[in-house]
Amino acid sequence: MNSDKRPREFYVLAAFFALFVLFLYGPLSAILILSFQGPNGGLTFPLNGMSFHWFGNLFEQQAVGDFGGSFRRSFALGIMVMVVTVVVSLLAGLAFRRKFVGATALFYFSVASLVVPSIIISLGIGVLFSQLGLQPAWYSSAFGAHLTWTLPFGVLIMFAIFNRFSPAYEEAARDLGATSWQTFRYVVLPMIAPPLIGVGLFGFTLSYDEFARTLMTSGTYNTLPLEIYGMTTNVTTPVLYALGTVTTLFSFLVIAGTLGLIIAMNRRRGRA
């Protein structure tokens, strides 16, 4: 009798995981391949030659679409959202370590936007800005709309981190004469830095590819997701696939860089 025989559940889960990977990366693979169409290629298979023509076309003047401008706006907006998400989530995590009146109600209020449809949030913020006589823009109304999406996730992550954080480290630091600021800077912050970087990455990626909460709040100028969506109705060349490939690779580079930073910090802390 083979004692290493795997149970039936293993194969069921393996099949489910294989379908998940196929569903996730299959469309990306098709876009990646079609982005290398020849100069006379179309939007569908089969390939009509292989070239980098459509990647070069991204940097040329386009009849429709503003690739460079929309990317810069999405990148800047993602950085803004990331910074605010990290700072507010950290402060919220520190504040909720101490019990105070109304903490439970404030917690549920802060995560309530997660159960509201994104398009309703976008529409509401857009209408509010219009009623106040303000012009919606990616750096104001869209910025606020994205925070309603990223902050609840950041706060929940920090709650989980601090829920497992032992106060004994802080007590030991204070016993050695450290001030509250020194305790936070040299004890607490280094220990929570990796998950804090994860919160930042999470905030950036959620903002960078957010569509619904940007739709009614971006104003005159599109972010990259809105630009790509608009191009699907009027672009008839594989330049759209080339743009999708470039933005996907950029996302993977951001994730790889962040993971590398976390690994380096963990190794440095281990050596210390």
Side-chain angles (χ1 to χ4, degrees):
M1 181 176 180
N2 187 3
S3 59
D4 294 332
K5 184 178 180 181
R6 299 183 185 276
R8 181 185 306 174
E9 291 80 1
F10 171 82
Y11 296 101
V12 174
L13 291 175
F16 176 79
F17 180 73
L19 289 175
F20 170 76
V21 172
L22 180 63
F23 184 80
L24 178 63
Y25 291 104
L28 293 178
S29 301
I31 290 176
L32 175 65
I33 295 172
L34 288 170
S35 64
F36 291 97
Q37 280 270 28
N40 298 319
L43 294 173
T44 58
F45 289 101
L47 291 176
N48 188 0
M50 294 282 291
S51 73
F52 292 94
H53 172 78
W54 302 110
F55 291 94
N57 192 252
L58 287 173
F59 301 97
E60 299 175 359
Q61 183 66 34
Q62 302 290 324
V64 293
D66 178 18
F67 305 145
S70 60
F71 170 77
R72 287 190 295 270
R73 286 187 287 272
S74 283
F75 184 79
L77 181 58
I79 294 295
M80 292 164 55
V81 171
M82 178 187 72
V83 172
V84 174
T85 300
V86 169
V87 173
V88 175
S89 298
L90 174 60
L91 295 178
L94 292 172
F96 274 84
R97 294 181 72 191
R98 301 179 181 273
K99 301 297 182 180
F100 58 89
V101 177
T104 302
L106 182 60
F107 167 76
Y108 286 113
F109 181 76
S110 64
V111 301
S113 64
L114 294 180
V115 299
V116 179
S118 297
I119 191 65
I120 299 299
I121 297 288
S122 177
L123 179 61
I125 293 177
V127 170
L128 178 62
F129 266 67
S130 298
Q131 291 297 316
L132 294 176
L134 302 175
Q135 181 66 33
W138 63 270
Y139 52 82
S140 56
S141 53
F143 175 59
H146 284 204
L147 287 177
T148 65
W149 183 232
T150 61
L151 278 178
F153 284 108
V155 169
L156 290 174
I157 292 173
M158 293 313 300
F159 282 2
I161 296 302
F162 280 118
N163 190 47
R164 297 181 300 168
F165 189 87
S166 174
Y169 299 107
E170 298 165 280
E171 295 172 0
R174 285 193 290 267
D175 290 341
L176 293 173
T179 63
S180 297
W181 169 247
Q182 289 173 329
T183 301
F184 171 75
R185 179 179 179 182
Y186 296 109
V187 178
V188 177
L189 189 58
M191 296 183 70
I192 66 171
L196 202 59
I197 293 174
V199 169
L201 174 63
F202 206 43
F204 177 83
T205 52
L206 285 178
S207 172
Y208 180 73
D209 64 4
E210 178 59 28
F211 175 81
R213 296 183 189 236
T214 319
L215 186 60
M216 303 292 182
T217 58
S218 64
T220 305
Y221 298 101
N222 285 340
T223 58
L224 189 59
L226 296 181
E227 196 72 24
I228 293 175
Y229 177 76
M231 290 172 58
T232 59
T233 62
N234 48 38
V235 173
T236 58
T237 64
V239 68
L240 181 60
Y241 298 144
L243 178 61
T245 299
V246 170
T247 55
T248 301
L249 291 177
F250 172 76
S251 300
F252 282 135
L253 286 175
V254 171
I255 295 173
T258 305
L259 292 177
L261 179 60
I262 293 175
I263 292 173
M265 293 182 64
N266 285 335
R267 288 180 176 175
R268 181 180 178 182
R269 188 173 62 181
R271 290 195 298 267

